[in-house]
Amino acid sequence: MLNANGLSCERGDRQLFAGLSLALEAGGLARLLGANGSGKTSLLRILAGLTRPAAGEVRWRGERIGDLAEEYGRELAYIGHAPALKDELTVAENLAFAARLAGIVASGAQLEAALEVLGMATRAALPARVLSQGQKRRVSLARLALPGAPALWLLDEPFAALDEDGIGRVRALTEAHLARGGMLVLTSHQDVPVAAGSIQTVTLGA
Amino acid sequence: MFSNFFSFASPQAFYPVAGRMIPWFGWSAALLALAGLYIGFFVAPTDATQGESYRIIFIHVPAAWMSMFIYLVMALWAGLGLVLNTRLSGMMASALAPTGAMFTFVALWSGALWGKPTWGTYWVWDARLTSELILLFLYLGYMALKEAIEDPQRADRAGAILALVGVVNIPIIYFSVQWWNTLHQGASVSLTKAPSMAMTMLAGMLVMALAAWMYAIAVSLARVRAIILERERGRDMAWVRSMVNA
Amino acid sequence: MTAAFAAVLRRDLLVALRRKGDALNVLIFFVIVASLFPLGTGAEPGQLRTMAAGVIWVGALLAALLSLPRLFAADLADGTLEQMLVSAQPLPAVVAAKVAAHWLSTGLPLALIAPVLGLQYGLPSDALLVLLGAVLLGTPVLSLVGAAGAALTLGVRGAGVLTGLLVLPLCVPALVFGAGALTASLSGLAPGPHLSLLGALLAVSLPLGLWAACAALRVALD
């Protein structure tokens, strides 16, 4: 489904990686490992179609992601370092907007249920400004719990800033996604075991 | 397909080719300029109404032509780089901008110097002069943007977008300035509309324009070589090191 | 696509509504600039009337320019812009909605207050109407060209001044036709041709500005 062939990435004068390939089928998990600055986030952004690789290509269901444009976006959830929350909006408003961008029209009850999966339902009416880092991360991950969530998840450090309870919830969420036949690429420093049918590890900067 | 076709024009392949071309264009520019200035200052007759001061058109008009033409060429390279993703295109656009800005400045400067004896004032809000001034602003904006973005590839692409927006806008700006000029009834004398141009005047101007053209090519090629060396330095390319150490 | 447009528009307006100060400051800046000119040039009524068009238009241009950094920078900082680029929605629809929200929160208030400033300059009532119409037609052009400029300078050091350097020369036609409409009306000519040209300019700026802004955003986030 997701195939990356011969990817290489340059940042400024530096080459981060070259000749990197990756193939992901339904239910598959890919873990990206490597030190800070080894290009984990860059690889994730290339897979999301944000960054253009210096060489190589990424294909989704056999087609180049550049040609698919927002069709690819419909099947993709990319959650980067920044939580993508507006300080001025409430938690519920932020989640509703994130859902809209993903092409999901969710009812109030569905939004609340998704927040509940991440343990944030009681904070729904608070402005995002007052949330802690960990809470913000929970809210930005909550859109993955909405009905109609996309097939491919690209998560950059999903466990960062989360407490034990949060890590448990995100782990359960990702495992359920993989069990349904979803695909997941994640970068992580913490060694959180996520169970999946097939697991591959990509170590960068080696 | 297309990108394969163009990839032979890699910076590495282009570097020595440019080096061989520079002397040819440089010497042609020098000889043509000498010939043009000779025609302009010794052969062309004195103008009946403007006297000797009109002779500045041998600098002014070619500079004004080049200033607009170079922006077009720059936008062409920029668009090529954006569509085909060739590295050399962006470098060519970068190399052309300072020369274009220089010609724009020369056109403005010589226009002002001509205005003083002709109209008694250095600056007239003539439609052409005003357009030329805005063209200078466009060049300066382009160079400032490329200067401000650190990553050269990103700078090339952002600059290309700006150049394309600029090239669509130039005719609109030119039209609006002319419209404004008629509305406000500014200067009625036009710089480039020299009355009853003699054959030798035209010849002098054309030779000078050709010289300016050759000069622009020679200087841009020299600049693009410098840009290639600078940008390829970080890449693992032995040939750059051999060039730098040579 | 229309759903995406509506969602982004609604969100941006909501944010603008909860940060009223930002839009208000732009408006106050506009009023101050326009009020300073007579103090510098003298308040002779005939002179004021002849320079009203230029002053009000340049003032609106500068005020719109000041509001541009808000357009994308906040979304870049909190990661929303990234989400918009990888979203299931076409980027032009998203950017068009952002430009529309920018115009509604900046351009429209500027247009509504311009006739009040016209009173300061002793403009007759029919000229005030022309001024309102011209600024209503011209400010969307400023928002569109400005969006392209703001996107090009996104994440660049010294972005504010640089945006001005890029955007102001491109706004010359809007300035000429916009101010020209008022000048024509004051000298007893029909302002219609100027307004038509302003409308044509808007029609050109819409696709060009959106294309440039979208392309520039993709470059900025690469």
Side-chain angles (χ1 to χ4, degrees), chain A residues 11 45 48 50-52 70 73-74 76 78-79 82-86 88-90 93 97 100-103 143, chain C residues 3 7-8 11 14-15 18-19 74-75 77-80 82-90 94 218 221-222:
Chain A
R11 272 290 170 246
R45 288 172 61 89
L50 276 168
T51 299
R52 302 197 309 178
E70 61 261 15
R74 219 165 289 150
L76 163 80
Y78 165 80
I79 297 183
L85 303 179
K86 274 270 164 274
E88 291 83 4
L89 303 183
T90 67
E93 285 167 342
F97 177 71
R100 279 286 183 162
L101 267 190
R143 55 181 261 236
Chain C
V8 176
R11 185 200 71 136
L14 207 58
V15 171
R18 293 190 187 157
R19 297 185 58 101
D75 281 344
D78 65 25
T80 320
E82 231 172 37
Q83 291 300 325
M84 289 171 173
L85 261 70
V86 297
S87 80
Q89 313 295 349
V94 172
R218 291 202 187 281
L221 286 175
D222 191 345

Side-chain angles (χ1 to χ4, degrees), chain B residues 74-151:
Chain B
M74 195 178 85
L76 196 76
W77 278 113
L80 220 62
L82 211 54
V83 175
L84 302 175
N85 201 19
T86 48
R87 275 183 298 145
L88 188 60
S89 312
M91 297 180 182
M92 284 302 285
S94 300
L96 281 165
T99 307
M102 187 276 288
F103 275 120
T104 318
F105 185 75
V106 167
L108 282 169
W109 189 257
S110 56
L113 287 182
W114 191 18
K116 186 63 182 168
T118 316
W119 304 318
T121 167
Y122 284 111
W123 183 257
V124 182
W125 288 96
D126 162 78
R128 281 165 200 263
L129 273 181
T130 311
S131 304
E132 198 72 13
L133 181 66
I134 293 163
L135 184 63
L136 180 64
F137 294 156
L138 291 182
Y139 272 119
L140 294 180
Y142 176 85
M143 290 192 291
L145 180 65
K146 290 201 107 167
E147 185 65 28
I149 302 177
E150 306 214 350
D151 183 79

Side-chain angles (χ1 to χ4, degrees), chain B residues 6-15 87-88 228:
Chain B
F6 273 92
S7 60
F8 78 89
S10 70
Q12 182 177 354
F14 189 69
Y15 186 87
R87 275 183 298 145
L88 188 60
I228 289 174

Side-chain angles (χ1 to χ4, degrees), chain B residues 13-31:
Chain B
F14 189 69
Y15 186 87
V17 179
R20 277 196 298 279
M21 290 195 298
I22 290 171
W24 290 96
F25 286 109
W27 281 108
S28 328
L31 294 176

